[in-house]
């Protein structure tokens, strides 16, 4: 007897359909009558040669419904099951680095990391987009995006392409702030650090911050710095409903006088990004973040960079 699940097994994520049914391990937990919007099974991170017919080959089954979603996780030969409303999501982080990808779902007091091979990046982007369509509502507070005109001419070719795609795919989103890849030593004021950072070629990596008022979208390299001899291929997209931002802090980096760190707090955890201190977009960005917290104009001293 052939095992269809074993025959189709590989590093790729598979959308559930009549041709590709749910894994047998998860079937007893699929008792809802509601038809799902989207359902996928995420494979175990094992080589094909380590798999065999009859083996439990999938670690996760993620199913989206109209109002909520369900995550079934393999734990040995058992299953844990949790359901969440979309509005419980505090932020998402979709990251890719060469063949390794991860979708981080942060809820209040709970988070999930869904690992994937980037051969399945498109299907995971679709999952993230379907969630994003539902985790903010029309009635939610929208921050004022404010003036346009953030400089875009210093972006790298790669980030310029990403921004061009955003303008086509998501026209309501405007650029709030951008940080180009920058040699930190050029801005360092302490002579010894300036020399050291020059020797190790410490560079602040690029990032792009956008919003449509209801959602903050930050595209970065997934890390803050790179050093001499390092190649950085990663890309990370972090999305946060503005109504879920509960704290904003600008902090100096104690190791780099030229760098300010932006710490965004949600009930699902904190997110950290960095800018050169004299970045011209920081004041307007801070005004936007004040609006995201619902602070009246002029009351943003606590978060002023």
């Amino acid at each position: 007897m052939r095992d269809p699940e074993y025959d189709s097994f590989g590093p790729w994520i598979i959308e559930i359909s009549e041709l590709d049914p749910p894994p047998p391990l998860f079937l007893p937990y699929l008792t809802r009558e509601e038809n799902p919007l989207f359902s996928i099974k995420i494979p175990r991170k094992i080589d094909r040669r380590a798999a065999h017919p009859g083996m439990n080959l999938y670690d996760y089954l993620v199913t989206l419904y109209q109002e909520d979603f369900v995550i079934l996780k393999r734990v040995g030969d058992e299953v844990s099951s949790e359901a969440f409303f979309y509005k419980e999501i505090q932020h998402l982080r979709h990251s890719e680095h060469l063949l390794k990808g991860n979708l981080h779902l942060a809820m209040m007091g709970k988070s999930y990391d869904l690992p994937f091979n980037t051969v399945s990046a498109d299907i995971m982007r679709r999952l993230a987009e379907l969630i994003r369509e539902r985790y903010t509502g029309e009635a939610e507070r929208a921050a004022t995006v404010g003036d346009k005109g953030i400089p875009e001419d210093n972006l790298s070719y790669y980030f310029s392409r990403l921004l061009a795609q955003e303008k086509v795919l998501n026209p309501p989103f405007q650029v709030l702030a951008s940080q180009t890849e920058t040699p930190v030593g050029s801005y360092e004021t302490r002579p010894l650090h300036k020399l050291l950072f020059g020797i190790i070629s410490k560079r602040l990596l690029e990032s792009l911050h956008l919003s449509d008022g209801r959602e903050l979208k930050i595209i970065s390299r997934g890390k803050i710095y790179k050093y001499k001899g390092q190649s950085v291929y990663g890309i990370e997209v972090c999305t946060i409903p503005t109504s879920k931002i509960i704290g904003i802090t600008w902090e100096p980096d104690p190791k780099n006088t030229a760098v300010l760190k932006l710490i965004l707090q949600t009930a699902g955890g904190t997110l950290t990004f960095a800018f050169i201190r004299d970045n011209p977009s920081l004041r307007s960005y801070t005004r936007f973040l004040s609006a995201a917290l619902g602070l009246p104009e002029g009351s943003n001293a606590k978060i002023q960079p």
Side-chain angles (χ1 to χ4, degrees), residues 9-13 43-44 46 116-120:
F9 177 75
W12 42 80
I13 293 170
R44 295 173 62 172
I46 59 173
F116 61 93
N117 186 298
T118 52
V119 70
S120 298

Side-chain angles (χ1 to χ4, degrees), residues 106-231:
M107 281 74 70
M108 186 182 299
K110 182 71 177 182
S111 64
Y112 271 95
D113 285 289
L114 304 177
F116 61 93
N117 186 298
T118 52
V119 70
S120 298
D122 286 346
I123 199 169
M124 290 304 280
R125 289 189 198 113
R126 183 180 173 199
L127 179 75
E129 288 301 313
L130 287 169
I131 291 173
R132 289 177 58 210
E133 288 172 6
R134 291 164 174 79
Y135 72 2
T136 60
E138 288 300 320
E140 290 194 16
R141 181 180 77 241
T144 302
V145 173
D147 297 333
K148 299 183 181 180
I150 299 300
E152 302 170 6
D153 54 343
N154 290 326
L155 294 175
S156 68
Y157 175 71
Y158 181 55
F159 268 70
S160 293
R161 286 181 56 203
L162 291 176
L163 179 56
Q165 291 173 3
E166 284 293 322
K167 289 179 177 180
V168 172
L169 297 175
N170 301 296
F173 278 78
Q174 297 178 23
V175 177
L176 300 175
S178 64
Q179 176 58 57
T180 59
E181 184 175 317
T182 305
V184 177
S186 299
Y187 291 83
E188 180 60 56
T189 58
R190 295 168 294 184
L192 185 58
H193 286 73
K194 188 178 186 74
L195 175 63
L196 174 62
F197 293 159
I199 292 172
I200 64 177
S201 191
K202 185 173 186 177
R203 302 181 72 86
L204 178 64
L205 290 173
E206 200 163 15
S207 64
L208 190 58
H209 300 241
L210 311 98
S211 182
D212 63 349
R214 297 188 181 279
E215 184 183 32
L216 187 61
K217 185 173 189 176
I218 301 167
I219 305 171
S220 72
R221 287 296 192 174
K223 57 192 300 186
I224 293 177
Y225 299 108
K226 81 167 185 177
Y227 301 87
K228 187 175 183 178
Q230 276 190 325
S231 297

Side-chain angles (χ1 to χ4, degrees), residues 227-277:
Y227 301 87
K228 187 175 183 178
Q230 276 190 325
S231 297
V232 178
Y233 301 107
I235 187 72
E236 180 174 279
V237 178
C238 178
T239 56
I240 315 163
T242 54
S243 62
K244 296 297 196 297
I245 299 173
I246 59 175
I248 300 162
T249 307
W250 291 98
E251 290 187 356
D253 186 336
K255 296 182 179 180
N256 306 275
T257 59
V259 175
L260 276 175
K261 287 188 174 181
L262 169 62
I263 300 171
L264 300 176
Q265 182 182 356
T266 73
T270 59
L271 300 154
T272 302
F273 308 93
F275 295 88
I276 291 295
R277 278 181 177 272

